[in-house]
Amino acid sequence: MTTDTRRFPSLSHWGAYTAVVQDGRLVDCEPFHRDSAPSAILSSMPGMVHSPLRVRRPAVRKGWLEQREGSDRTARGSDAFVEVSWDKALALVAGELGRVRGTYGDSAIFGGSYGWSSAGRLHHARTLTHRFLNSGGGCINQAGNYSWGAAQFLLPHVIGSYMPVTGRVTDWQSVIAHTRLFIAFGGLALRNAQITSGGAGDHSTAAWVAKARDAGVQFVVISPTRGDVPDDLDARWIPIRPNTDTALMLAMLHTLIDAGLHDRAFVRSHCVGFEPLADYVMGVTDGQPKDAAWAEGITGVPADTVRQLALDAAGTRSLLTCTWSLQRAHHGEQPYWTCIALAAAIGQIGLPGGGFAFGHGSMNGVGNPRPDAPGPEMGAGANPLGKSIPVSRLSDMLLYPGQPYEFNGRHDTYPDIQMIYWAGGNPFHHHQDLNKLVRGWQKPQTVVVHESWWTPTARRADIVLPATTTLERNDIGGSSRDRFVLAMHQALPPQGQSRNDFEIYRELAAMAGHEAAFTEGRTEMEWLRHIFDGMAKGWARGGFAIPDFDTFWAQGYAELPPPERDFVLFDTFRADPVAHALKTPSGKIELYSERIAGFEYADCPPHPTWMPPAEWLGAEAAETWPLHLVTSQPADKLHSQMDAGVLSVAAKVASRERVRLNPSDAAARGIQAGEVVRVFNDRGSCLAGAVIDADVMPGVVVMSTGAWFDPQSTSLERHGNPNVLTMDVGTSQLAQAPSALSALVNVEGWTGDAPPVQAFVLPEGIGSQTTVGDTV
């Protein structure tokens, strides 16, 4: 019997690959031949594409179908579904959009699309969702992101741009040639280097780190867990209490000022506000010197270690870098601002291999040498409403319509949302305090979701439209931090009755009379040519050769050359701070911000400040909840994507997400490795599988995010989703970003039989009721 085997180039956020299709089924994902360190996550893709969990037909929640906007919204997540035809489903969605816009106005629709969705730029769910809603009258949008939301709104006040947090920092070539000390606040976890937003032709981070080590760069990793230290790096690990890096940096700054080692000339010529910051650090303003002894009591890092680290940083070419995770905490603006202030005092900003950086250990491609040329892009169009909320204030918006809030100097009120339209992403993974989100999710009259799988979000929709995966459509992808642009050929027919988001929105736009505004008269392939041509013009302006579209499509990729010179962050600003002034009010680095001072936010002072978070190991609440929960990104999936895949399922303990405890904390609670435990606080509880890990410091527990939300009740989540435990408050009124890393918990052994995980059981009314797991 002859087997029909075909190969198709494609791309995911965890890497480029060739899809191997035999007799109409995906059987393998062969890594791109130029990838030096392919991600194992590729192994989960064949099972997920053909998973029993696929949404195969349009479906409507039974209660909503019977009573529409008058249905019992508390039944979202437990109600049965009724599968319907596409004509019926589209008519229902179009009718609801028209009804809500006509009755309540465009501001009653929330365009909810957040997450990594597709690596492709045309079939990028967030872009298409907002493009569709914008062309139809607008919607309430989202400002910022969960990854680095605090930095996004702080950094423009301090350095004039948030671009360094996207990975555009001093590149690895410069680090290898010039850096002698690399201090990684928050860790340098290479598991995160599997992922690049927009995909990658090459996972280069591990190779760059190894080259830096071989060149003699000394690495210091400051984190609550040794798991954030790369293997074979021979790095020095400094354990630190979570959320206290700001205090450590302030004490390092105190050491330099006290010893007269700070660069007076640099802070005078390139910064404003050093004097009031120095008065605060030295205790002039509040009577408390922020010295090493003070920091030891907060951070747990010995005072001598703090002093010596400061002296070492000032005594050689040093690069200070912060992970994104540091600013995902209450007062998360402060560690980034303090890191910039410390680097300014050292005086090496703008020098090769020196200064500060963000994102190392958070994503592949940070510091990757790449010429300044555009990647593929597609626009969402302007939102006629011009209204948005801070992205992580989703629950507050749903629960408290009309309530005022502050955001980056803006006074606003939350809108009254009657319809959520969500495509791309899983808020019941990435949002904090999921029990609170469940309550908020019950407020709107109608929820529409596009999904490929029966995720926790799809299960909580009123109307579910089955969406194709990237392998069931054509696209083009690439990252601003990677030198490759990849063609993504359709390898499979749409599974079941699924349709791609572009076609779904085209049909809905046609029904509402704005198809031309949405499509601009282009088909899928015409859009791909248009996106490619726009990118090609940018490459040509930079002097970079690029093939024509047909050649690119046949070859499967195009490649930028390595840059001709090393990129050094702020080198031109250092050389001439007048001619190359920053886009701050002063044109300089603002260590004291008059603009922020004018906001009068008590939770975000106008200079870097140690502000104890609401929950940390030094808080009064730690007497009740004595363990600090650190939520990390998983090594076996991207956020919650592929959680039902073979790699993720194999990594679970007792069918649940793992929780890592120090041996002393486990012994004090009588917990053995492999047992089911309950992790809990006053916001909720979840079950997890215990892992005893001496590389986690005492008083800290570590859980990866991504387990599909599986509540037995509001008091118990069965699968190990730590976001039932995390705190849903803004970092401050400035950024209103997520504070997931400020959470205290306790852990106890589970007695009796643990309830079975139901996350991978299909909803009632959908196909068979077979539980899926190892077969996926």
Side-chain angles (χ1 to χ4, degrees):
M1 180 176 177
T2 303
T3 299
D4 180 20
T5 302
R6 301 184 183 185
R7 287 175 163 79
F8 304 87
S10 197
L11 177 68
S12 68
H13 294 296
W14 44 93
Y17 62 96
T18 297
V20 182
V21 177
Q22 289 184 358
D23 298 328
R25 287 186 66 86
L26 179 68
V27 297
D28 195 12
C29 295
E30 297 174 346
F32 183 49
H33 69 283
R34 299 287 295 279
D35 195 343
S36 60
S39 170
I41 298 174
L42 288 172
S43 66
S44 285
M45 293 186 67
M48 288 299 294
V49 167
H50 301 292
S51 169
L53 286 168
R54 285 297 297 267
V55 180
R56 297 187 175 276
R57 287 168 288 279
V60 184
R61 183 170 68 85
K62 186 174 183 293
W64 190 92
L65 189 61
E66 294 171 348
Q67 297 179 291
R68 305 296 169 90
E69 66 268 24
S71 71
D72 177 8
R73 302 166 203 171
T74 65
R76 289 177 183 144
S78 60
D79 208 351
F81 281 87
V82 178
E83 293 180 329
V84 300
S85 68
W86 267 105
D87 287 346
K88 175 71 170 178
L90 291 174
L92 290 172
V93 174
E96 278 303 283
L97 284 165
R99 182 187 69 82
V100 173
R101 287 192 194 278
T103 304
Y104 302 100
D106 299 314
S107 62
I109 298 174
F110 180 63
S113 182
Y114 182 84
W116 291 55
S117 57
S118 172
R121 294 300 93 187
L122 170 59
H123 294 292
H124 185 257
R126 179 179 171 90
T127 301
L128 290 177
T129 298
H130 292 139
R131 183 179 183 86
F132 165 69
L133 293 172
N134 290 346
S135 66
C139 65
I140 298 299
N141 205 333
Q142 301 147 295
N145 61 60
Y146 286 80
S147 295
W148 31 266
Q152 181 172 354
F153 296 107
L154 168 74
L155 293 182
H157 296 293
V158 180
I159 57 174
S161 169
Y162 66 80
M163 292 308 294
V165 81
T166 70
R168 183 65 165 167
V169 296
T170 296
D171 67 33
W172 280 105
Q173 293 280 27
S174 182
V175 170
I176 290 167
H178 301 283
T179 306
R180 299 279 61 88
L181 179 63
F182 188 109
I183 303 177
F185 292 97
L188 193 62
L190 293 186
R191 65 177 178 276
N192 296 332
Q194 297 184 93
I195 307 301
T196 305
S197 180
D202 183 25
H203 291 88
S204 59
T205 300
W208 287 120
V209 170
K211 289 178 181 178
R213 175 204 61 202
D214 294 344
V217 178
Q218 299 298 308
F219 286 85
V220 175
V221 175
I222 301 168
S223 168
T225 170
R226 193 190 295 269
D228 288 340
V229 182
D231 295 336
D232 304 321
L233 186 58
D234 193 28
R236 181 185 179 193
W237 175 44
I238 299 179
I240 187 171
R241 289 177 185 146
N243 288 187
T244 65
D245 297 77
T246 296
L248 174 61
M249 295 179 206
L250 288 171
M252 292 173 66
L253 179 55
H254 181 281
T255 298
L256 299 184
I257 296 173
D258 190 54
L261 294 176
H262 62 292
D263 191 327
R264 294 179 177 84
F266 183 82
V267 297
R268 184 169 55 250
S269 59
H270 290 74
C271 306
V272 296
F274 182 76
E275 292 77 12
L277 173 60
D279 285 347
Y280 167 73
V281 169
M282 302 310 290
V284 174
T285 55
D286 62 1
Q288 174 59 67
K290 314 306 179 295
D291 58 17
W294 167 84
E296 179 176 353
I298 296 170
T299 66
V301 179
D304 289 344
T305 299
V306 176
R307 295 188 194 95
Q308 192 59 53
L309 187 62
L311 297 175
D312 290 345
T316 189
R317 186 61 54 86
S318 57
L319 182 68
L320 315 180
T321 183
C322 295
T323 59
W324 294 349
S325 61
L326 289 188
Q327 48 87 67
R328 289 196 292 265
H330 197 207
H331 307 309
E333 297 85 1
Q334 300 308 316
Y336 270 40
W337 203 349
T338 313
C339 180
I340 293 170
L342 178 58
I346 292 171
Q348 297 178 14
I349 295 173
L351 293 178
F356 65 88
F358 306 118
H360 290 96
S362 298
M363 185 178 72
N364 181 62
V366 175
N368 189 43
R370 182 189 187 275
D372 188 12
E377 298 176 355
M378 182 181 181
N383 183 356
L385 286 183
K387 293 183 178 180
S388 62
I389 63 157
V391 65
S392 68
R393 304 276 50 83
L394 171 60
S395 293
D396 287 349
M397 174 192 70
L398 296 174
L399 287 167
Y400 312 121
Q403 178 174 301
Y405 68 93
E406 297 284 333
F407 172 46
N408 199 22
R410 187 182 92 199
H411 309 275
D412 214 332
T413 57
Y414 289 121
D416 189 1
I417 298 300
Q418 298 299 326
M419 183 176 186
I420 295 174
Y421 203 126
W422 198 286
N426 178 8
F428 287 92
H429 148 67
H430 63 248
H431 198 73
Q432 287 74 60
D433 193 352
L434 290 180
N435 289 319
K436 178 182 174 183
L437 178 59
V438 167
R439 297 192 298 274
W441 201 259
Q442 296 167 357
K443 296 295 184 177
Q445 295 177 356
T446 302
V447 178
V448 178
V449 169
H450 297 194
E451 247 303 348
S452 304
W453 296 274
W454 281 102
T455 65
T457 300
R459 295 165 190 264
R460 287 163 178 77
D462 297 316
I463 305 172
V464 183
L465 303 181
T468 54
T469 68
T470 55
L471 288 165
E472 297 153 47
R473 59 208 185 204
N474 295 300
D475 214 330
I476 178 175
S479 166
S480 62
R481 301 270 49 86
D482 186 75
R483 292 192 296 110
F484 295 94
V485 176
L486 286 302
M488 303 168 66
H489 291 196
Q490 181 175 340
L492 297 166
Q495 301 296 289
Q497 296 180 17
S498 59
R499 300 181 182 181
N500 66 58
D501 295 311
F502 182 84
E503 283 302 311
I504 295 171
Y505 286 136
R506 184 195 63 75
E507 292 186 58
L508 288 169
M511 295 170 73
H514 55 92
E515 179 182 5
F518 174 72
T519 68
E520 296 183 19
R522 298 188 182 94
T523 64
E524 177 187 70
M525 289 307 298
E526 287 170 341
W527 263 111
L528 295 184
R529 289 180 180 274
H530 179 74
I531 292 169
F532 182 87
D533 290 346
M535 181 187 71
K537 291 176 183 177
W539 284 29
R541 287 192 296 269
F544 306 114
I546 188 170
D548 61 65
F549 178 81
D550 291 325
T551 302
F552 157 77
W553 194 252
Q555 180 173 309
Y557 69 96
E559 179 183 3
L560 283 165
E564 294 182 354
R565 62 183 294 270
D566 296 345
F567 176 77
V568 176
L569 182 63
F570 290 154
D571 56 349
T572 56
F573 167 68
R574 183 185 184 91
D576 191 335
V578 175
H580 300 283
L582 304 181
K583 295 179 180 179
T584 59
S586 65
K588 299 182 179 183
I589 298 171
E590 303 224 345
L591 305 181
Y592 182 102
S593 169
E594 293 287 356
R595 183 189 292 160
I596 293 177
F599 297 159
E600 298 183 342
Y601 293 153
D603 56 1
C604 190
H607 62 67
T609 305
W610 161 247
M611 304 186 74
E615 295 186 17
W616 69 295
L617 290 175
E620 183 177 339
E623 296 179 9
T624 303
W625 313 108
L627 301 173
H628 194 121
L629 172 66
V630 171
T631 51
S632 62
Q633 295 304 316
D636 44 51
K637 50 187 169 283
L638 169 57
H639 295 294
S640 67
Q641 292 185 48
M642 306 287 165
D643 185 42
V646 291
L647 193 67
S648 176
V649 169
K652 296 179 188 294
V653 172
S655 300
R656 302 161 215 277
E657 186 51 64
R658 296 160 290 180
V659 59
R660 299 184 179 275
L661 305 93
N662 182 273
S664 63
D665 292 321
R669 292 162 175 79
I671 293 171
Q672 302 295 318
E675 290 184 348
V676 175
V677 298
R678 185 172 79 106
V679 189
F680 62 103
N681 59 21
D682 54 2
R683 287 180 287 271
S685 68
C686 65
L687 299 183
V691 174
I692 313 304
D693 188 350
D695 287 342
V696 175
M697 65 182 292
V700 173
V701 295
V702 179
M703 290 186 72
S704 290
T705 59
W708 281 11
F709 180 51
D710 183 34
Q712 176 172 282
S713 64
T714 56
S715 59
L716 183 66
E717 196 277 337
R718 294 171 289 212
H719 196 199
N721 188 316
N723 271 328
V724 299
L725 306 164
T726 50
M727 185 171 62
D728 186 30
V729 299
T731 53
S732 77
Q733 293 176 95
L734 180 80
Q736 292 286 8
S739 298
L741 282 176
S742 298
L744 294 175
V745 301
N746 206 345
V747 181
E748 65 183 10
W750 181 265
T751 58
D753 295 333
V757 173
Q758 302 291 303
F760 304 145
V761 176
L762 290 170
E764 182 182 348
I766 302 299
S768 70
Q769 299 303 303
T770 304
T771 301
V772 296
D774 294 337
T775 60
V776 180

